[in-house]
Amino acid sequence: MSQDSTAVPEAARKLSGRRRREIVAVLLFSGGPIFESSIPLSVFGIDRQDAGVPRYRLLVCAGEDGPLRTTGGLELTAPYGLEAMSRAGTVVVPAWRSITSPPPPEALDALRRAHEEGARIVGLCTGAFVLAAAGLLDGRPATTHWMYAPTLAKRYPSVHVDPRELFVDDGDVLTSAGTAAGIDLCLHIVRTDHGTEAAGALARRLVVPPRRSGGQERYLDRSLPEEIGADPLAEVVAWALEHLHEQFDVETLAARAYMSRRTFDRRFRSLTGSAPLQWLITQRVLQAQRLLETSDYSVDEVAGRCGFRSPVALRGHFRRQLGSSPAAYRAAYRARRPQSEMHSVPSGLSGGGQVPDSVPQHARRTAAAAAQAGPSATTSTHEPGKPSSDVYAPGRPTLPGQRDRPVG
């Protein structure tokens, strides 16, 4: 159930007699980012009864042998081990250190046992990977940071990953997007347990909105997961991103991959978790976003430069994905940006003046400089780019020297 739902489903199992609703266990691992780890500690571990916030009892549990190292080389010592989770009515996994590494089996067993005994299980940001590894997300809707959604969808295909949501409440299992969305979900838990006034009082203490509208769409980079870089389809994806200003369809991409449409669809979805048609539409909308932000092209011109067959098609897809018209999006963007930051896209770049959004900023600047320098300067920098928002939207490819540690 998404954050916008009004009804909250009942927990699937009755809470075991030894567990207490007011006890919240936070499961920490070495290598987890300190900001995400601190969110449930701050929400559930501080007595704010003077402000009208009912008190929880917090148990900070080590998910593995310590000391636990976190951001900046800090070392933490959790006061409890996995055995303390047996008393908790809510168990929160605020982060996991690596989306490519399996969590400790002992911690997964403890989570499964807690769930079987009726505890509410919560995964913030990359904590969703721990819940998925425990099998607690099988057949369920879930979310995580948009950057890691494609990897979650690919690694755990039975999980219904939706990166558009800030958080997903599926009754006894809840997940959130990255960093600040963890605060949103924790406030939602307080609201579910104690009502709107208690959640509002806590939000005022934290100086955050009691309930944010919208989802992750506005933040999506929609790059393809790094795994596709070594796959033959990467060349087809790269070609598509470089030719978004042309009118072509999925049949064209399948032909370039020397596959039937059915085989191409199946192969593309297995790699990315997204249908190729929706991915292509998302790329065109993202291209349109960038042109609306950085150029003075009319909406009709933007539609043509993004490969849409008509401005009507652009407007329809743009509104479905972003919730506003292209003109309204441009006006809102410019109202938020100082005039000094506005600039037109230089001519001479691929796609009728647009560098693919998946190209890193340093490469984008190089491409712009080369275009301004004239035909003698050439730039050939490109990275595979981004999937759909219908099932999930993807993560930024790993750059040389970049680790796969969770980010906020």
Side-chain angles (χ1 to χ4, degrees):
M1 179 172 293
S2 75
Q3 60 159 330
D4 295 322
S5 302
T6 54
V8 177
E10 293 296 327
R13 297 173 178 84
K14 183 178 179 181
L15 192 64
S16 168
R18 62 179 174 173
R19 295 181 180 273
R20 296 290 179 265
R21 291 287 179 193
E22 68 276 9
I23 298 179
V24 177
V26 177
L27 189 57
L28 299 183
F29 298 96
S30 188
I34 195 168
F35 189 94
E36 285 83 348
S37 300
S38 69
I39 289 171
L41 306 185
S42 179
V43 171
F44 301 111
I46 298 177
D47 185 354
R48 298 186 177 92
Q49 294 180 89
D50 63 320
V53 182
R55 185 175 184 179
Y56 290 88
R57 182 182 174 192
L58 181 71
L59 303 177
V60 182
C61 305
E64 56 194 337
D65 293 338
L68 309 178
R69 292 176 175 81
T70 184
T71 310
L74 297 176
E75 290 190 352
L76 305 177
T77 302
Y80 299 97
L82 291 172
E83 68 284 348
M85 286 172 54
S86 63
R87 293 179 277 160
T90 298
V91 178
V92 183
V93 184
W96 173 237
R97 59 174 165 265
S98 170
I99 62 174
T100 60
S101 300
E106 298 81 7
L108 298 182
D109 288 341
L111 285 169
R112 295 187 194 101
R113 187 160 51 252
H115 183 249
E116 290 169 359
E117 294 179 356
R120 176 173 51 189
I121 311 298
V122 181
L124 307 182
C125 193
T126 52
F129 283 81
V130 181
L131 273 58
L136 302 183
L137 297 181
D138 290 351
R140 290 177 178 266
T143 193
T144 187
H145 192 293
W146 57 261
M147 185 182 294
Y148 306 119
T151 303
L152 184 63
K154 180 181 177 183
R155 185 158 297 148
Y156 303 100
S158 62
V159 180
H160 306 309
V161 182
D162 186 350
R164 294 170 298 182
E165 300 291 351
L166 291 176
F167 61 82
V168 173
D169 180 345
D170 197 41
D172 54 351
V173 178
L174 304 87
T175 52
S176 82
T179 311
I183 301 175
D184 295 316
L185 179 50
C186 288
L187 284 172
H188 171 75
I189 291 171
V190 173
R191 186 181 305 112
T192 301
D193 290 349
H194 301 292
T196 301
E197 289 188 13
L202 176 57
R204 286 191 293 275
R205 278 293 181 94
L206 297 175
V207 197
V208 297
R211 189 196 297 264
R212 285 196 292 167
S213 60
Q216 292 192 80
E217 292 98 331
R218 72 195 80 173
Y219 309 110
L220 299 181
D221 186 321
R222 296 186 179 92
S223 303
L224 287 177
E226 60 270 21
E227 290 94 331
I228 197 175
D231 191 274
L233 281 188
E235 294 184 11
V236 177
V237 169
W239 182 89
L241 290 170
E242 291 168 357
H243 294 79
L244 286 176
H245 58 291
E246 301 176 8
Q247 290 185 9
F248 60 87
D249 54 19
V250 177
E251 296 285 356
T252 303
L253 299 181
R256 293 190 68 87
Y258 301 101
M259 297 178 184
S260 68
R261 171 64 186 270
R262 179 176 296 181
T263 301
F264 181 80
D265 282 7
R266 184 173 63 251
R267 180 68 179 145
F268 194 96
R269 187 181 286 275
S270 70
L271 277 173
T272 69
S274 170
L277 177 59
Q278 185 58 45
W279 177 84
L280 183 58
I281 291 171
T282 298
Q283 301 318 304
R284 297 195 189 283
V285 170
L286 187 61
Q287 183 93 324
Q289 276 184 268
R290 182 61 64 184
L291 287 177
L292 290 166
E293 293 171 1
T294 60
S295 79
D296 292 321
Y297 296 133
S298 68
V299 172
D300 288 13
E301 289 175 312
V302 168
R305 289 173 180 271
C306 296
F308 287 104
R309 297 187 183 278
S310 70
V312 173
L314 166 62
R315 291 185 179 95
H317 290 300
F318 200 95
R319 183 174 292 279
R320 275 190 291 275
Q321 291 200 22
L322 298 172
S324 70
S325 69
Y329 177 87
R330 170 178 272 169
Y333 178 85
R334 293 190 172 183
R336 295 193 306 266
R337 308 284 288 193
Q339 192 63 32
S340 60
E341 294 185 22
M342 301 304 299
H343 60 280
S344 295
V345 179
S347 61
L349 299 179
S350 72
Q354 171 63 13
V355 180
D357 192 65
S358 56
V359 176
Q361 287 296 327
H362 68 84
R364 196 187 304 277
R365 289 192 294 268
T366 303
Q372 290 174 325
S376 60
T378 59
T379 301
S380 153
T381 305
H382 180 74
E383 291 178 11
K386 27 208 166 199
S388 96
S389 61
D390 61 335
V391 180
Y392 77 91
R396 184 187 303 278
T398 302
L399 302 177
Q402 178 179 333
R403 301 289 299 277
D404 62 355
R405 291 197 180 279
V407 301

